Amino acid sequence: MIVAALTLIALLCFVMAALTMCSAKTEARKADAGQTLAEGRTRAAQDSNAVRDGNDAANQSTRDQVKEDQDALRRETDPAVRDADARRRLCILNPGACAP
């Protein structure tokens, strides 16, 4: 009877140790998965920042060019020259706006 009880206790201890090890492995996997997700989010945020910064720079460059073109056109006194110059400058900024 005592041997059976000790065997049962030993068996329960073994099961408990096995479950603890499995739980520790699961927690380690969860931590690795969480770290991988965090790293992925960080890279995605960095990529989106780079795209946004590039887009902002392109937009600013276009705004600067349009301002310069407007100033130059306002200084032109001959309407025919001004119209031709405006069309040429528009075609440089937006080639799709000009018919071949």
Side-chain angles (χ1 to χ4, degrees):
M1 176 99 166
I2 292 179
V3 173
L6 290 175
T7 304
L8 182 60
I9 291 172
L11 181 63
L12 289 175
C13 287
F14 176 74
V15 170
M16 189 73 151
L19 289 175
T20 303
M21 285 179 20
C22 290
S23 177
K25 288 180 182 178
T26 301
E27 291 302 318
R29 279 191 230 127
K30 284 182 183 179
D32 287 344
Q35 182 178 357
T36 301
L37 285 173
E39 289 169 355
R41 286 187 198 115
T42 300
R43 281 192 297 273
Q46 290 169 342
D47 291 346
S48 68
N49 286 342
V51 169
R52 186 194 65 230
D53 292 346
N55 188 34
D56 289 348
N59 287 342
Q60 186 60 46
S61 174
T62 300
R63 281 192 292 274
D64 293 345
Q65 186 63 49
V66 167
K67 174 116 176 63
E68 290 172 15
D69 291 348
Q70 286 175 338
D71 293 344
L73 291 172
R74 286 185 180 122
R75 287 189 300 269
E76 183 59 55
T77 57
D78 184 3
V81 173
R82 184 177 52 234
D83 291 346
D85 196 28
R87 183 155 193 55
R88 181 183 63 77
R89 290 172 188 261
L90 175 63
C91 291
I92 291 170
L93 280 173
N94 185 6
C98 302

